[in-house]
Amino acid sequence: MRASQFFIATQKEAPSDAELISHQLMVRAGLIKKLGSGLYSWMPLGLRVLRKVEHIVRDEMNKAGALELLMPAVQPKELWEETGRWAVFGPQMLKIQDRHARDFCFGPTHEEVITDIARKEINSYKQLPLNFYQIQTKFRDEIRPRFGVMRAREFLMKDAYSFHTSADCLVNTYQAMHTAYSNIFTRLGLKFRAVKADSGAIGGDGSQEFHVLADSGEDALAYCEQSDYAANVELAEAVASGQRAAASEAMREVDTPKQTACEAVAGLLELPVSRTVKSVALMVDEVFTLALLRGDHQLNEVKFGKLAGVTTFRLATEEEIRAHLNCPPGFIGPVGVSDKVRVIADRTVALMSDFVCGANKPKFHLAGVNFGRDLPEPVVVADIRNVVAGDMSPDGKGQLSLCRGIEVGHIFQLRTKYSEAMQATYLDENGQTQVMEMGCYGIGVSRIVGAAIEQGNDDKGIVFPLSMAPFAVVICPIGLDKSDAVKQAAFTLYTALQQAGVDVLLDDRGERPGVMFAESDLMGIPHRIVIGDRGLAQGEVEYKGRTDAEAQNLQVTECVAFLRDKLGQ
């Protein structure tokens, strides 16, 4: 591609509302242009990147045996009512009406549509298993669209759906999709992790997320460097091991006139925070409940919401706390509470002895508290906290570390959640009607571009992996309009690289060297060749990799072979 025949629209300044570096650089490099809140046009340069991601996704899905189709973006209300999701999906769903006042939505996902296809087209076990996928625009009406394409309302997604005769068959395809996803992110040149995850609004039994590792990631991930264990912190199991030590202190009141936080109480008593227990006051299905956590731990709301008997919960108000404990927040605890107060202890707390907690008395705490002596043994003990760095890995093979990640893929074992609701059945080998097992597999194609930039950038701009870069090589001729030798050498090299199958950009705009270099670095082009009269006099051109500290000289005659070697061709 010749730059004079392309559209390069770089900017010196980032938009004021761009918080993430990926948003700033995508706008500055001219990859995207904002149309409205959470709505972006993909400009020619950005579309080249997007299509390269899409190509790798499609190639690996095809290799895994999935079949591509394309479903309507606009979906009728009736399908969503069959699964009950029309009412519960929430305000993220953009609901619209046609001229006949019939209700539709702009699809945020396609489980209902694909299940409708399956129940109409699949009749026999001989047709299964099947795995369909599409790469298509989705719309989710985010409350606060931000971060550019990372949290846009309209986005490009690859969503796949598989149908099976058994749970074992589903697991086989699930594993095949796991492998395909790993291949996709490896080919894209990204540092990533697959982690156990919560299924959320999609539902189903098991799921894993694929995260691009980046400090700016919204998700906290726990992983073990000594094993393959990795999970979203929302789901990572917090292991508590060992036995409770015997009581060695008498319970006593301690004066804490201003200390309401565990850290402040521990500081006053010159104890580690890990010796304190905090009581989180909740209304669980409108029953007043104390969730007991070690002072340096945090409540995991996802885990708590999955406890048996928990349908809904929220933080108790100050009025509710005073009504049940006759004490203001900051000094509450589990000792001496009435049998109408439900107590749920985290596993770690259940193993503690001689701990400090609130006294249910303003300006006082209790020290030397022990279960079985000073308060009843907790009836409910569960894993209800977030893991922290240094916790034992659930697989017993080491300790957990924490990092941040950007979710770019998610695979689910849906089982029969949708097929049962929509009566997607088939006849088995005995002629009996059976409900299909289902899987669901999504990749945020447009989000990958933003995630890659979050992972790869420097003070000059984007550092794209080669597989995603808009061009592999840029040729920057110095004095193109003033030197016939430079012009001839530039076009000769450009033609030779094109014939060698290299994705090359020739900057023939006649710009100054500084402009050409700055823009190519900003756009993330991995390899740069500079051609000038001085070098040509020696039969040389200058090469510099995007992240190289120094440039090097190459013989003109060796340039094509050198670049092909760099590009792995």
Side-chain angles (χ1 to χ4, degrees), residues 10 28 460-461 512-524 528 546:
T10 58
R28 286 191 56 217
K460 296 178 182 178
R512 299 188 310 276
V515 173
M516 291 189 289
F517 300 165
E519 289 192 335
S520 65
D521 284 345
L522 176 60
M523 294 184 293
R528 184 176 76 202
R546 174 63 180 79

Side-chain angles (χ1 to χ4, degrees), residues 179-200:
T179 300
Y181 276 38
S182 297
N183 292 341
I184 287 167
F185 297 119
T186 298
R187 286 180 60 182
L188 287 171
L190 300 173
K191 296 177 182 178
F192 71 96
R193 275 192 176 270
V195 303
K196 293 181 180 178
D198 180 58
S199 296

Side-chain angles (χ1 to χ4, degrees), residues 293-351:
L293 297 156
R294 204 171 76 182
D296 55 342
H297 289 163
Q298 299 298 319
L299 179 69
N300 185 309
E301 296 185 6
V302 172
K303 292 181 184 178
F304 194 89
K306 291 180 177 292
L307 293 180
V310 175
T311 304
T312 62
F313 70 95
R314 59 174 174 82
L315 290 174
T317 65
E318 182 173 346
E319 292 73 18
E320 289 167 333
I321 293 172
R322 289 180 179 273
H324 287 89
L325 300 178
N326 194 30
C327 180
F331 304 96
I332 64 174
V335 178
V337 300
S338 75
D339 55 7
K340 294 182 179 180
V341 175
R342 188 182 184 191
V343 176
I344 298 176
D346 180 66
R347 291 173 177 173
T348 305
V349 171
L351 296 177

Side-chain angles (χ1 to χ4, degrees), residues 251-517:
M251 186 175 72
R252 61 196 183 278
E253 283 190 352
V254 290
D255 187 10
T256 53
K258 298 180 180 179
Q259 291 76 18
T260 57
C262 288
E263 291 80 1
V265 173
L268 178 68
L269 301 180
E270 298 183 346
L271 294 172
V273 182
S274 59
R275 288 279 304 278
T276 66
V277 169
K278 59 184 173 186
S279 302
V280 181
L282 303 167
M283 297 301 293
V284 180
D285 298 321
E286 296 310 306
V287 175
F288 187 79
T289 303
L290 294 181
L292 306 184
L293 297 156
R294 204 171 76 182
D296 55 342
H297 289 163
Q298 299 298 319
L299 179 69
N300 185 309
E301 296 185 6
V302 172
K303 292 181 184 178
F304 194 89
K306 291 180 177 292
L307 293 180
V310 175
T311 304
T312 62
F313 70 95
R314 59 174 174 82
L315 290 174
T317 65
E318 182 173 346
E319 292 73 18
E320 289 167 333
I321 293 172
R322 289 180 179 273
H324 287 89
L325 300 178
N326 194 30
C327 180
F331 304 96
I332 64 174
V335 178
V337 300
S338 75
D339 55 7
K340 294 182 179 180
V341 175
R342 188 182 184 191
V343 176
I344 298 176
D346 180 66
R347 291 173 177 173
T348 305
V349 171
L351 296 177
M352 293 176 66
S353 59
D354 297 331
F355 58 82
V356 176
C357 65
N360 290 323
K361 180 179 178 180
K363 301 183 179 181
F364 283 92
H365 280 72
L366 297 174
V369 179
N370 287 271
F371 288 111
R373 186 192 71 182
D374 307 315
L375 75 165
E377 294 286 349
V379 175
V380 179
V381 176
D383 173 19
I384 58 172
R385 71 172 175 91
N386 287 332
V387 296
V388 295
D391 277 345
M392 183 185 302
S393 176
D395 61 11
K397 296 181 180 179
Q399 294 183 331
L400 293 179
S401 299
L402 301 182
C403 65
R404 307 296 300 183
I406 301 167
E407 184 188 345
V408 290
H410 205 154
I411 58 178
F412 304 84
Q413 295 180 42
L414 295 176
R415 301 298 306 273
T416 59
K417 174 182 172 69
Y418 297 94
S419 52
E420 190 169 358
M422 298 182 67
Q423 298 180 16
T425 61
Y426 67 96
L427 296 179
D428 65 17
E429 56 268 34
N430 298 315
Q432 300 297 310
T433 299
Q434 304 291 347
V435 177
M436 298 180 204
E437 295 274 350
M438 286 181 61
C440 172
Y441 321 95
I443 283 182
V445 177
S446 51
R447 199 172 209 226
I448 285 174
V449 179
I453 296 171
E454 288 295 323
Q455 191 175 86
N457 64 81
D458 59 19
D459 58 355
K460 296 178 182 178
I462 300 168
V463 180
F464 270 127
L466 177 62
S467 58
M468 296 176 60
F471 298 95
V473 177
V474 60
I475 300 172
C476 298
I478 298 176
L480 180 74
D481 298 330
K482 299 177 182 179
S483 170
D484 290 337
V486 168
K487 179 180 289 187
Q488 180 178 349
F491 276 93
T492 298
L493 178 59
Y494 172 64
T495 301
L497 288 174
Q498 282 190 317
Q499 291 174 347
V502 175
D503 195 5
V504 57
L505 174 69
L506 171 60
D507 195 338
D508 60 344
R509 297 173 297 166
E511 293 284 0
R512 299 188 310 276
V515 173
M516 291 189 289
F517 300 165

